[in-house]
PDB file of all heavy atoms in Angstrom:
ATOM      1  N   PHE A   6     -69.061  36.360  32.966  1.00  0.00           N
ATOM      2  CA  PHE A   6     -69.321  35.002  33.443  1.00  0.00           C
ATOM      3  C   PHE A   6     -69.553  34.069  32.262  1.00  0.00           C
ATOM      4  O   PHE A   6     -70.196  34.454  31.276  1.00  0.00           O
ATOM      5  CB  PHE A   6     -70.553  34.982  34.353  1.00  0.00           C
ATOM      6  CG  PHE A   6     -70.356  35.725  35.646  1.00  0.00           C
ATOM      7  CD1 PHE A   6     -71.051  36.902  35.900  1.00  0.00           C
ATOM      8  CD2 PHE A   6     -69.468  35.253  36.608  1.00  0.00           C
ATOM      9  CE1 PHE A   6     -70.875  37.587  37.091  1.00  0.00           C
ATOM     10  CE2 PHE A   6     -69.291  35.938  37.808  1.00  0.00           C
ATOM     11  CZ  PHE A   6     -69.989  37.102  38.045  1.00  0.00           C
ATOM     12  N   MET A   7     -69.060  32.832  32.380  1.00  0.00           N
ATOM     13  CA  MET A   7     -69.205  31.865  31.295  1.00  0.00           C
ATOM     14  C   MET A   7     -69.609  30.487  31.836  1.00  0.00           C
ATOM     15  O   MET A   7     -68.809  29.795  32.458  1.00  0.00           O
ATOM     16  CB  MET A   7     -67.895  31.714  30.516  1.00  0.00           C
ATOM     17  CG  MET A   7     -68.042  30.810  29.286  1.00  0.00           C
ATOM     18  SD  MET A   7     -66.498  30.537  28.394  1.00  0.00           S
ATOM     19  CE  MET A   7     -65.764  29.263  29.433  1.00  0.00           C
ATOM     20  N   PRO A   8     -70.843  30.068  31.597  1.00  0.00           N
ATOM     21  CA  PRO A   8     -71.227  28.696  31.927  1.00  0.00           C
ATOM     22  C   PRO A   8     -70.488  27.721  31.016  1.00  0.00           C
ATOM     23  O   PRO A   8     -70.333  27.965  29.815  1.00  0.00           O
ATOM     24  CB  PRO A   8     -72.735  28.669  31.646  1.00  0.00           C
ATOM     25  CG  PRO A   8     -73.155  30.112  31.650  1.00  0.00           C
ATOM     26  CD  PRO A   8     -71.987  30.869  31.114  1.00  0.00           C
ATOM     27  N   LYS A   9     -70.033  26.595  31.583  1.00  0.00           N
ATOM     28  CA  LYS A   9     -69.279  25.633  30.774  1.00  0.00           C
ATOM     29  C   LYS A   9     -69.739  24.200  31.081  1.00  0.00           C
ATOM     30  O   LYS A   9     -69.338  23.606  32.064  1.00  0.00           O
ATOM     31  CB  LYS A   9     -67.774  25.759  31.029  1.00  0.00           C
ATOM     32  CG  LYS A   9     -66.924  24.883  30.072  1.00  0.00           C
ATOM     33  CD  LYS A   9     -65.453  25.140  30.272  1.00  0.00           C
ATOM     34  CE  LYS A   9     -64.936  24.565  31.559  1.00  0.00           C
ATOM     35  NZ  LYS A   9     -65.025  23.075  31.587  1.00  0.00           N
ATOM     36  N   PRO A  10     -70.573  23.650  30.212  1.00  0.00           N
ATOM     37  CA  PRO A  10     -70.952  22.238  30.319  1.00  0.00           C
ATOM     38  C   PRO A  10     -70.035  21.396  29.427  1.00  0.00           C
ATOM     39  O   PRO A  10     -69.093  21.924  28.825  1.00  0.00           O
ATOM     40  CB  PRO A  10     -72.378  22.230  29.759  1.00  0.00           C
ATOM     41  CG  PRO A  10     -72.322  23.295  28.682  1.00  0.00           C
ATOM     42  CD  PRO A  10     -71.347  24.350  29.166  1.00  0.00           C
ATOM     43  N   CYS A  11     -70.310  20.101  29.342  1.00  0.00           N
ATOM     44  CA  CYS A  11     -69.681  19.271  28.307  1.00  0.00           C
ATOM     45  C   CYS A  11     -70.050  19.857  26.950  1.00  0.00           C
ATOM     46  O   CYS A  11     -71.175  20.324  26.749  1.00  0.00           O
ATOM     47  CB  CYS A  11     -70.180  17.829  28.428  1.00  0.00           C
ATOM     48  SG  CYS A  11     -69.718  16.763  27.045  1.00  0.00           S
ATOM     49  N   GLN A  12     -69.115  19.832  26.014  1.00  0.00           N
ATOM     50  CA  GLN A  12     -69.346  20.450  24.709  1.00  0.00           C
ATOM     51  C   GLN A  12     -69.996  19.500  23.701  1.00  0.00           C
ATOM     52  O   GLN A  12     -70.322  19.898  22.599  1.00  0.00           O
ATOM     53  CB  GLN A  12     -68.022  20.970  24.150  1.00  0.00           C
ATOM     54  CG  GLN A  12     -67.307  21.956  25.067  1.00  0.00           C
ATOM     55  CD  GLN A  12     -68.072  23.240  25.262  1.00  0.00           C
ATOM     56  OE1 GLN A  12     -68.288  23.994  24.313  1.00  0.00           O
ATOM     57  NE2 GLN A  12     -68.479  23.515  26.493  1.00  0.00           N
ATOM     58  N   HIS A  13     -70.157  18.225  24.052  1.00  0.00           N
ATOM     59  CA  HIS A  13     -70.800  17.229  23.196  1.00  0.00           C
ATOM     60  C   HIS A  13     -70.254  17.295  21.767  1.00  0.00           C
ATOM     61  O   HIS A  13     -70.997  17.482  20.797  1.00  0.00           O
ATOM     62  CB  HIS A  13     -72.323  17.394  23.230  1.00  0.00           C
ATOM     63  CG  HIS A  13     -72.900  17.077  24.575  1.00  0.00           C
ATOM     64  ND1 HIS A  13     -73.219  15.795  24.976  1.00  0.00           N
ATOM     65  CD2 HIS A  13     -73.164  17.868  25.649  1.00  0.00           C
ATOM     66  CE1 HIS A  13     -73.667  15.817  26.213  1.00  0.00           C
ATOM     67  NE2 HIS A  13     -73.639  17.051  26.654  1.00  0.00           N
ATOM     68  N   CYS A  14     -68.959  17.132  21.690  1.00  0.00           N
ATOM     69  CA  CYS A  14     -68.228  17.299  20.433  1.00  0.00           C
ATOM     70  C   CYS A  14     -68.667  16.291  19.366  1.00  0.00           C
ATOM     71  O   CYS A  14     -69.008  15.145  19.676  1.00  0.00           O
ATOM     72  CB  CYS A  14     -66.726  17.143  20.673  1.00  0.00           C
ATOM     73  SG  CYS A  14     -66.071  18.161  22.012  1.00  0.00           S
ATOM     74  N   ASP A  15     -68.608  16.722  18.111  1.00  0.00           N
ATOM     75  CA  ASP A  15     -68.838  15.794  16.999  1.00  0.00           C
ATOM     76  C   ASP A  15     -67.596  14.959  16.712  1.00  0.00           C
ATOM     77  O   ASP A  15     -67.689  13.932  16.039  1.00  0.00           O
ATOM     78  CB  ASP A  15     -69.263  16.569  15.750  1.00  0.00           C
ATOM     79  CG  ASP A  15     -70.737  16.935  15.785  1.00  0.00           C
ATOM     80  OD1 ASP A  15     -71.488  16.287  16.549  1.00  0.00           O
ATOM     81  OD2 ASP A  15     -71.140  17.857  15.056  1.00  0.00           O
ATOM     82  N   ASN A  16     -66.448  15.410  17.195  1.00  0.00           N
ATOM     83  CA  ASN A  16     -65.206  14.644  17.089  1.00  0.00           C
ATOM     84  C   ASN A  16     -64.602  14.530  18.490  1.00  0.00           C
ATOM     85  O   ASN A  16     -63.566  15.106  18.791  1.00  0.00           O
ATOM     86  CB  ASN A  16     -64.233  15.334  16.130  1.00  0.00           C
ATOM     87  CG  ASN A  16     -62.959  14.543  15.929  1.00  0.00           C
ATOM     88  OD1 ASN A  16     -62.935  13.311  16.044  1.00  0.00           O
ATOM     89  ND2 ASN A  16     -61.869  15.240  15.622  1.00  0.00           N
ATOM     90  N   PRO A  17     -65.262  13.768  19.379  1.00  0.00           N
ATOM     91  CA  PRO A  17     -64.886  13.768  20.796  1.00  0.00           C
ATOM     92  C   PRO A  17     -63.640  12.928  21.088  1.00  0.00           C
ATOM     93  O   PRO A  17     -63.618  11.730  20.783  1.00  0.00           O
ATOM     94  CB  PRO A  17     -66.116  13.166  21.478  1.00  0.00           C
ATOM     95  CG  PRO A  17     -66.741  12.299  20.429  1.00  0.00           C
ATOM     96  CD  PRO A  17     -66.440  12.941  19.117  1.00  0.00           C
ATOM     97  N   PRO A  18     -62.606  13.520  21.694  1.00  0.00           N
ATOM     98  CA  PRO A  18     -61.421  12.756  22.069  1.00  0.00           C
ATOM     99  C   PRO A  18     -61.718  11.702  23.130  1.00  0.00           C
ATOM    100  O   PRO A  18     -61.075  10.649  23.167  1.00  0.00           O
ATOM    101  CB  PRO A  18     -60.462  13.824  22.618  1.00  0.00           C
ATOM    102  CG  PRO A  18     -60.971  15.125  22.122  1.00  0.00           C
ATOM    103  CD  PRO A  18     -62.446  14.956  21.989  1.00  0.00           C
ATOM    104  N   CYS A  19     -62.696  11.960  23.986  1.00  0.00           N
ATOM    105  CA  CYS A  19     -62.993  11.058  25.110  1.00  0.00           C
ATOM    106  C   CYS A  19     -63.422   9.673  24.652  1.00  0.00           C
ATOM    107  O   CYS A  19     -63.032   8.656  25.247  1.00  0.00           O
ATOM    108  CB  CYS A  19     -64.061  11.681  26.007  1.00  0.00           C
ATOM    109  SG  CYS A  19     -65.588  12.112  25.133  1.00  0.00           S
ATOM    110  N   THR A  20     -64.236   9.604  23.605  1.00  0.00           N
ATOM    111  CA  THR A  20     -64.751   8.308  23.168  1.00  0.00           C
ATOM    112  C   THR A  20     -63.665   7.442  22.533  1.00  0.00           C
ATOM    113  O   THR A  20     -63.785   6.210  22.520  1.00  0.00           O
ATOM    114  CB  THR A  20     -65.895   8.484  22.157  1.00  0.00           C
ATOM    115  OG1 THR A  20     -65.402   9.158  20.990  1.00  0.00           O
ATOM    116  CG2 THR A  20     -67.029   9.312  22.760  1.00  0.00           C
ATOM    117  N   LYS A  21     -62.625   8.073  22.033  1.00  0.00           N
ATOM    118  CA  LYS A  21     -61.569   7.333  21.339  1.00  0.00           C
ATOM    119  C   LYS A  21     -60.622   6.617  22.292  1.00  0.00           C
ATOM    120  O   LYS A  21     -59.939   5.665  21.887  1.00  0.00           O
ATOM    121  CB  LYS A  21     -60.784   8.284  20.428  1.00  0.00           C
ATOM    122  CG  LYS A  21     -61.622   8.915  19.324  1.00  0.00           C
ATOM    123  CD  LYS A  21     -60.810   9.934  18.534  1.00  0.00           C
ATOM    124  CE  LYS A  21     -61.604  10.493  17.368  1.00  0.00           C
ATOM    125  NZ  LYS A  21     -62.817  11.203  17.795  1.00  0.00           N
ATOM    126  N   VAL A  22     -60.550   7.074  23.536  1.00  0.00           N
ATOM    127  CA  VAL A  22     -59.581   6.492  24.472  1.00  0.00           C
ATOM    128  C   VAL A  22     -60.218   5.508  25.454  1.00  0.00           C
ATOM    129  O   VAL A  22     -59.500   4.814  26.174  1.00  0.00           O
ATOM    130  CB  VAL A  22     -58.848   7.601  25.267  1.00  0.00           C
ATOM    131  CG1 VAL A  22     -58.090   8.524  24.336  1.00  0.00           C
ATOM    132  CG2 VAL A  22     -59.831   8.402  26.127  1.00  0.00           C
ATOM    133  N   CYS A  23     -61.541   5.430  25.487  1.00  0.00           N
ATOM    134  CA  CYS A  23     -62.200   4.512  26.430  1.00  0.00           C
ATOM    135  C   CYS A  23     -61.974   3.074  25.986  1.00  0.00           C
ATOM    136  O   CYS A  23     -62.340   2.698  24.862  1.00  0.00           O
ATOM    137  CB  CYS A  23     -63.693   4.808  26.512  1.00  0.00           C
ATOM    138  SG  CYS A  23     -64.579   3.699  27.637  1.00  0.00           S
ATOM    139  N   PRO A  24     -61.397   2.236  26.837  1.00  0.00           N
ATOM    140  CA  PRO A  24     -61.082   0.861  26.449  1.00  0.00           C
ATOM    141  C   PRO A  24     -62.273  -0.092  26.486  1.00  0.00           C
ATOM    142  O   PRO A  24     -62.169  -1.225  26.010  1.00  0.00           O
ATOM    143  CB  PRO A  24     -60.024   0.438  27.479  1.00  0.00           C
ATOM    144  CG  PRO A  24     -60.358   1.226  28.701  1.00  0.00           C
ATOM    145  CD  PRO A  24     -60.894   2.539  28.206  1.00  0.00           C
ATOM    146  N   VAL A  25     -63.403   0.332  27.052  1.00  0.00           N
ATOM    147  CA  VAL A  25     -64.541  -0.577  27.214  1.00  0.00           C
ATOM    148  C   VAL A  25     -65.831  -0.040  26.592  1.00  0.00           C
ATOM    149  O   VAL A  25     -66.918  -0.547  26.870  1.00  0.00           O
ATOM    150  CB  VAL A  25     -64.774  -0.882  28.710  1.00  0.00           C
ATOM    151  CG1 VAL A  25     -63.619  -1.680  29.279  1.00  0.00           C
ATOM    152  CG2 VAL A  25     -64.991   0.397  29.522  1.00  0.00           C
ATOM    153  N   ASP A  26     -65.725   0.993  25.760  1.00  0.00           N
ATOM    154  CA  ASP A  26     -66.888   1.582  25.087  1.00  0.00           C
ATOM    155  C   ASP A  26     -67.934   2.078  26.085  1.00  0.00           C
ATOM    156  O   ASP A  26     -69.139   2.006  25.838  1.00  0.00           O
ATOM    157  CB  ASP A  26     -67.529   0.558  24.132  1.00  0.00           C
ATOM    158  CG  ASP A  26     -68.532   1.203  23.175  1.00  0.00           C
ATOM    159  OD1 ASP A  26     -68.324   2.378  22.822  1.00  0.00           O
ATOM    160  OD2 ASP A  26     -69.514   0.540  22.803  1.00  0.00           O
ATOM    161  N   ALA A  27     -67.450   2.594  27.221  1.00  0.00           N
ATOM    162  CA  ALA A  27     -68.376   3.129  28.220  1.00  0.00           C
ATOM    163  C   ALA A  27     -68.854   4.524  27.841  1.00  0.00           C
ATOM    164  O   ALA A  27     -69.994   4.895  28.141  1.00  0.00           O
ATOM    165  CB  ALA A  27     -67.723   3.162  29.597  1.00  0.00           C
ATOM    166  N   THR A  28     -68.000   5.306  27.224  1.00  0.00           N
ATOM    167  CA  THR A  28     -68.411   6.637  26.765  1.00  0.00           C
ATOM    168  C   THR A  28     -68.541   6.602  25.252  1.00  0.00           C
ATOM    169  O   THR A  28     -67.692   6.040  24.556  1.00  0.00           O
ATOM    170  CB  THR A  28     -67.430   7.725  27.233  1.00  0.00           C
ATOM    171  OG1 THR A  28     -67.949   9.020  26.849  1.00  0.00           O
ATOM    172  CG2 THR A  28     -66.049   7.558  26.634  1.00  0.00           C
ATOM    173  N   PHE A  29     -69.601   7.176  24.743  1.00  0.00           N
ATOM    174  CA  PHE A  29     -69.941   7.007  23.319  1.00  0.00           C
ATOM    175  C   PHE A  29     -70.751   8.200  22.838  1.00  0.00           C
ATOM    176  O   PHE A  29     -71.293   8.977  23.638  1.00  0.00           O
ATOM    177  CB  PHE A  29     -70.759   5.728  23.128  1.00  0.00           C
ATOM    178  CG  PHE A  29     -72.029   5.710  23.934  1.00  0.00           C
ATOM    179  CD1 PHE A  29     -73.233   6.119  23.383  1.00  0.00           C
ATOM    180  CD2 PHE A  29     -72.025   5.303  25.262  1.00  0.00           C
ATOM    181  CE1 PHE A  29     -74.402   6.132  24.124  1.00  0.00           C
ATOM    182  CE2 PHE A  29     -73.192   5.301  26.026  1.00  0.00           C
ATOM    183  CZ  PHE A  29     -74.382   5.716  25.452  1.00  0.00           C
ATOM    184  N   LYS A  30     -70.844   8.339  21.523  1.00  0.00           N
ATOM    185  CA  LYS A  30     -71.622   9.424  20.929  1.00  0.00           C
ATOM    186  C   LYS A  30     -72.826   8.834  20.207  1.00  0.00           C
ATOM    187  O   LYS A  30     -72.707   7.902  19.428  1.00  0.00           O
ATOM    188  CB  LYS A  30     -70.776  10.232  19.951  1.00  0.00           C
ATOM    189  CG  LYS A  30     -71.505  11.477  19.436  1.00  0.00           C
ATOM    190  CD  LYS A  30     -70.588  12.376  18.658  1.00  0.00           C
ATOM    191  CE  LYS A  30     -71.325  13.623  18.183  1.00  0.00           C
ATOM    192  NZ  LYS A  30     -71.741  14.488  19.312  1.00  0.00           N
ATOM    193  N   ARG A  31     -73.999   9.417  20.460  1.00  0.00           N
ATOM    194  CA  ARG A  31     -75.234   8.928  19.870  1.00  0.00           C
ATOM    195  C   ARG A  31     -75.498   9.600  18.525  1.00  0.00           C
ATOM    196  O   ARG A  31     -74.888  10.601  18.171  1.00  0.00           O
ATOM    197  CB  ARG A  31     -76.423   9.204  20.796  1.00  0.00           C
ATOM    198  CG  ARG A  31     -76.196   8.785  22.224  1.00  0.00           C
ATOM    199  CD  ARG A  31     -77.436   8.726  23.045  1.00  0.00           C
ATOM    200  NE  ARG A  31     -78.372   9.836  22.907  1.00  0.00           N
ATOM    201  CZ  ARG A  31     -79.489   9.943  23.632  1.00  0.00           C
ATOM    202  NH1 ARG A  31     -79.760   9.007  24.542  1.00  0.00           N
ATOM    203  NH2 ARG A  31     -80.310  10.953  23.472  1.00  0.00           N
ATOM    204  N   GLN A  32     -76.476   9.068  17.811  1.00  0.00           N
ATOM    205  CA  GLN A  32     -76.835   9.606  16.510  1.00  0.00           C
ATOM    206  C   GLN A  32     -77.430  11.009  16.602  1.00  0.00           C
ATOM    207  O   GLN A  32     -77.391  11.773  15.627  1.00  0.00           O
ATOM    208  CB  GLN A  32     -77.832   8.678  15.822  1.00  0.00           C
ATOM    209  CG  GLN A  32     -79.160   8.538  16.563  1.00  0.00           C
ATOM    210  CD  GLN A  32     -80.129   7.605  15.863  1.00  0.00           C
ATOM    211  OE1 GLN A  32     -79.824   7.053  14.814  1.00  0.00           O
ATOM    212  NE2 GLN A  32     -81.306   7.437  16.429  1.00  0.00           N
ATOM    213  N   ASP A  33     -77.966  11.390  17.770  1.00  0.00           N
ATOM    214  CA  ASP A  33     -78.537  12.728  17.916  1.00  0.00           C
ATOM    215  C   ASP A  33     -77.520  13.756  18.405  1.00  0.00           C
ATOM    216  O   ASP A  33     -77.867  14.897  18.700  1.00  0.00           O
ATOM    217  CB  ASP A  33     -79.757  12.712  18.843  1.00  0.00           C
ATOM    218  CG  ASP A  33     -79.463  12.128  20.224  1.00  0.00           C
ATOM    219  OD1 ASP A  33     -78.274  12.038  20.582  1.00  0.00           O
ATOM    220  OD2 ASP A  33     -80.410  11.749  20.934  1.00  0.00           O
ATOM    221  N   GLY A  34     -76.248  13.339  18.513  1.00  0.00           N
ATOM    222  CA  GLY A  34     -75.175  14.272  18.844  1.00  0.00           C
ATOM    223  C   GLY A  34     -74.739  14.286  20.289  1.00  0.00           C
ATOM    224  O   GLY A  34     -73.724  14.901  20.628  1.00  0.00           O
ATOM    225  N   ILE A  35     -75.468  13.634  21.187  1.00  0.00           N
ATOM    226  CA  ILE A  35     -75.153  13.669  22.610  1.00  0.00           C
ATOM    227  C   ILE A  35     -74.084  12.626  22.949  1.00  0.00           C
ATOM    228  O   ILE A  35     -74.133  11.495  22.465  1.00  0.00           O
ATOM    229  CB  ILE A  35     -76.417  13.423  23.453  1.00  0.00           C
ATOM    230  CG1 ILE A  35     -77.445  14.526  23.195  1.00  0.00           C
ATOM    231  CG2 ILE A  35     -76.087  13.352  24.930  1.00  0.00           C
ATOM    232  CD1 ILE A  35     -78.746  14.340  23.949  1.00  0.00           C
ATOM    233  N   VAL A  36     -73.123  13.017  23.777  1.00  0.00           N
ATOM    234  CA  VAL A  36     -72.100  12.104  24.281  1.00  0.00           C
ATOM    235  C   VAL A  36     -72.498  11.670  25.689  1.00  0.00           C
ATOM    236  O   VAL A  36     -72.732  12.510  26.558  1.00  0.00           O
ATOM    237  CB  VAL A  36     -70.716  12.779  24.308  1.00  0.00           C
ATOM    238  CG1 VAL A  36     -69.674  11.840  24.914  1.00  0.00           C
ATOM    239  CG2 VAL A  36     -70.288  13.192  22.902  1.00  0.00           C
ATOM    240  N   LEU A  37     -72.593  10.365  25.907  1.00  0.00           N
ATOM    241  CA  LEU A  37     -73.013   9.823  27.197  1.00  0.00           C
ATOM    242  C   LEU A  37     -71.951   8.887  27.777  1.00  0.00           C
ATOM    243  O   LEU A  37     -71.008   8.494  27.098  1.00  0.00           O
ATOM    244  CB  LEU A  37     -74.332   9.056  27.060  1.00  0.00           C
ATOM    245  CG  LEU A  37     -75.594   9.853  26.731  1.00  0.00           C
ATOM    246  CD1 LEU A  37     -76.809   8.934  26.743  1.00  0.00           C
ATOM    247  CD2 LEU A  37     -75.801  11.000  27.698  1.00  0.00           C
ATOM    248  N   ILE A  38     -72.172   8.515  29.049  1.00  0.00           N
ATOM    249  CA  ILE A  38     -71.329   7.534  29.725  1.00  0.00           C
ATOM    250  C   ILE A  38     -72.230   6.435  30.284  1.00  0.00           C
ATOM    251  O   ILE A  38     -73.243   6.729  30.915  1.00  0.00           O
ATOM    252  CB  ILE A  38     -70.541   8.166  30.887  1.00  0.00           C
ATOM    253  CG1 ILE A  38     -69.649   9.302  30.383  1.00  0.00           C
ATOM    254  CG2 ILE A  38     -69.685   7.111  31.601  1.00  0.00           C
ATOM    255  CD1 ILE A  38     -68.955  10.065  31.497  1.00  0.00           C
ATOM    256  N   ASP A  39     -71.845   5.196  30.038  1.00  0.00           N
ATOM    257  CA  ASP A  39     -72.569   4.053  30.577  1.00  0.00           C
ATOM    258  C   ASP A  39     -71.819   3.547  31.809  1.00  0.00           C
ATOM    259  O   ASP A  39     -70.775   2.900  31.698  1.00  0.00           O
ATOM    260  CB  ASP A  39     -72.653   2.948  29.518  1.00  0.00           C
ATOM    261  CG  ASP A  39     -73.448   1.741  29.994  1.00  0.00           C
ATOM    262  OD1 ASP A  39     -73.825   1.713  31.182  1.00  0.00           O
ATOM    263  OD2 ASP A  39     -73.677   0.833  29.178  1.00  0.00           O
ATOM    264  N   ASN A  40     -72.355   3.845  32.984  1.00  0.00           N
ATOM    265  CA  ASN A  40     -71.669   3.458  34.217  1.00  0.00           C
ATOM    266  C   ASN A  40     -71.813   1.981  34.555  1.00  0.00           C
ATOM    267  O   ASN A  40     -71.228   1.503  35.523  1.00  0.00           O
ATOM    268  CB  ASN A  40     -72.155   4.320  35.388  1.00  0.00           C
ATOM    269  CG  ASN A  40     -71.484   5.685  35.386  1.00  0.00           C
ATOM    270  OD1 ASN A  40     -70.507   5.875  34.685  1.00  0.00           O
ATOM    271  ND2 ASN A  40     -72.011   6.610  36.147  1.00  0.00           N
ATOM    272  N   GLU A  41     -72.595   1.249  33.763  1.00  0.00           N
ATOM    273  CA  GLU A  41     -72.613  -0.204  33.887  1.00  0.00           C
ATOM    274  C   GLU A  41     -71.376  -0.812  33.221  1.00  0.00           C
ATOM    275  O   GLU A  41     -71.012  -1.951  33.510  1.00  0.00           O
ATOM    276  CB  GLU A  41     -73.886  -0.772  33.252  1.00  0.00           C
ATOM    277  CG  GLU A  41     -75.153  -0.466  34.022  1.00  0.00           C
ATOM    278  CD  GLU A  41     -75.191  -1.167  35.372  1.00  0.00           C
ATOM    279  OE1 GLU A  41     -75.056  -2.400  35.411  1.00  0.00           O
ATOM    280  OE2 GLU A  41     -75.347  -0.476  36.393  1.00  0.00           O
ATOM    281  N   ARG A  42     -70.744  -0.035  32.345  1.00  0.00           N
ATOM    282  CA  ARG A  42     -69.536  -0.506  31.656  1.00  0.00           C
ATOM    283  C   ARG A  42     -68.267   0.186  32.150  1.00  0.00           C
ATOM    284  O   ARG A  42     -67.174  -0.361  32.042  1.00  0.00           O
ATOM    285  CB  ARG A  42     -69.653  -0.277  30.142  1.00  0.00           C
ATOM    286  CG  ARG A  42     -70.770  -1.036  29.475  1.00  0.00           C
ATOM    287  CD  ARG A  42     -70.765  -0.794  27.975  1.00  0.00           C
ATOM    288  NE  ARG A  42     -69.573  -1.343  27.348  1.00  0.00           N
ATOM    289  CZ  ARG A  42     -69.489  -2.555  26.806  1.00  0.00           C
ATOM    290  NH1 ARG A  42     -70.544  -3.359  26.836  1.00  0.00           N
ATOM    291  NH2 ARG A  42     -68.384  -2.970  26.239  1.00  0.00           N
ATOM    292  N   CYS A  43     -68.408   1.400  32.693  1.00  0.00           N
ATOM    293  CA  CYS A  43     -67.245   2.189  33.103  1.00  0.00           C
ATOM    294  C   CYS A  43     -66.414   1.441  34.148  1.00  0.00           C
ATOM    295  O   CYS A  43     -66.944   0.936  35.136  1.00  0.00           O
ATOM    296  CB  CYS A  43     -67.704   3.538  33.668  1.00  0.00           C
ATOM    297  SG  CYS A  43     -66.366   4.612  34.223  1.00  0.00           S
ATOM    298  N   ILE A  44     -65.096   1.381  33.944  1.00  0.00           N
ATOM    299  CA  ILE A  44     -64.193   0.700  34.883  1.00  0.00           C
ATOM    300  C   ILE A  44     -63.366   1.695  35.692  1.00  0.00           C
ATOM    301  O   ILE A  44     -62.479   1.300  36.449  1.00  0.00           O
ATOM    302  CB  ILE A  44     -63.261  -0.271  34.145  1.00  0.00           C
ATOM    303  CG1 ILE A  44     -62.422   0.480  33.095  1.00  0.00           C
ATOM    304  CG2 ILE A  44     -64.049  -1.399  33.508  1.00  0.00           C
ATOM    305  CD1 ILE A  44     -61.375  -0.377  32.408  1.00  0.00           C
ATOM    306  N   GLY A  45     -63.628   2.989  35.509  1.00  0.00           N
ATOM    307  CA  GLY A  45     -62.958   4.006  36.324  1.00  0.00           C
ATOM    308  C   GLY A  45     -61.509   4.249  35.961  1.00  0.00           C
ATOM    309  O   GLY A  45     -60.743   4.730  36.800  1.00  0.00           O
ATOM    310  N   CYS A  46     -61.108   3.962  34.726  1.00  0.00           N
ATOM    311  CA  CYS A  46     -59.703   4.174  34.327  1.00  0.00           C
ATOM    312  C   CYS A  46     -59.355   5.650  34.184  1.00  0.00           C
ATOM    313  O   CYS A  46     -58.191   6.034  34.235  1.00  0.00           O
ATOM    314  CB  CYS A  46     -59.401   3.421  33.037  1.00  0.00           C
ATOM    315  SG  CYS A  46     -60.257   4.070  31.578  1.00  0.00           S
ATOM    316  N   ARG A  47     -60.361   6.486  33.927  1.00  0.00           N
ATOM    317  CA  ARG A  47     -60.227   7.944  33.821  1.00  0.00           C
ATOM    318  C   ARG A  47     -59.437   8.404  32.589  1.00  0.00           C
ATOM    319  O   ARG A  47     -58.978   9.546  32.527  1.00  0.00           O
ATOM    320  CB  ARG A  47     -59.608   8.532  35.097  1.00  0.00           C
ATOM    321  CG  ARG A  47     -60.543   8.486  36.289  1.00  0.00           C
ATOM    322  CD  ARG A  47     -59.834   8.779  37.588  1.00  0.00           C
ATOM    323  NE  ARG A  47     -59.093   7.613  38.056  1.00  0.00           N
ATOM    324  CZ  ARG A  47     -58.069   7.668  38.898  1.00  0.00           C
ATOM    325  NH1 ARG A  47     -57.660   8.820  39.365  1.00  0.00           N
ATOM    326  NH2 ARG A  47     -57.451   6.574  39.264  1.00  0.00           N
ATOM    327  N   PHE A  48     -59.293   7.544  31.591  1.00  0.00           N
ATOM    328  CA  PHE A  48     -58.646   7.964  30.347  1.00  0.00           C
ATOM    329  C   PHE A  48     -59.442   9.092  29.688  1.00  0.00           C
ATOM    330  O   PHE A  48     -58.871  10.009  29.095  1.00  0.00           O
ATOM    331  CB  PHE A  48     -58.532   6.782  29.369  1.00  0.00           C
ATOM    332  CG  PHE A  48     -57.533   5.732  29.764  1.00  0.00           C
ATOM    333  CD1 PHE A  48     -57.450   4.540  29.067  1.00  0.00           C
ATOM    334  CD2 PHE A  48     -56.666   5.923  30.829  1.00  0.00           C
ATOM    335  CE1 PHE A  48     -56.529   3.560  29.416  1.00  0.00           C
ATOM    336  CE2 PHE A  48     -55.746   4.958  31.203  1.00  0.00           C
ATOM    337  CZ  PHE A  48     -55.680   3.772  30.493  1.00  0.00           C
TER     338      PHE A  48
END
């Protein structure tokens, strides 16, 4: 069995494609999503 969460990458592909800076990486290494900015494009 293998639990699989978000990997919180140091070089995250997800943050590079977001057109509105809704998903971002913090200084402590965590990748978050701001749903006040998210437009649901799903990139």
Side-chain angles (χ1 to χ4, degrees):
F6 293 112
M7 186 183 80
K9 187 175 72 64
C11 170
Q12 303 295 296
H13 293 275
C14 309
D15 280 340
N16 183 28
C19 56
T20 62
K21 298 175 176 61
V22 300
C23 179
V25 293
D26 193 31
T28 185
F29 58 95
K30 187 171 181 66
R31 311 195 316 183
Q32 63 180 0
D33 56 17
I35 298 178
V36 177
L37 292 184
I38 301 174
D39 182 353
N40 280 346
E41 290 293 305
R42 297 183 66 93
C43 180
I44 59 174
C46 68
R47 289 167 282 158
F48 289 172

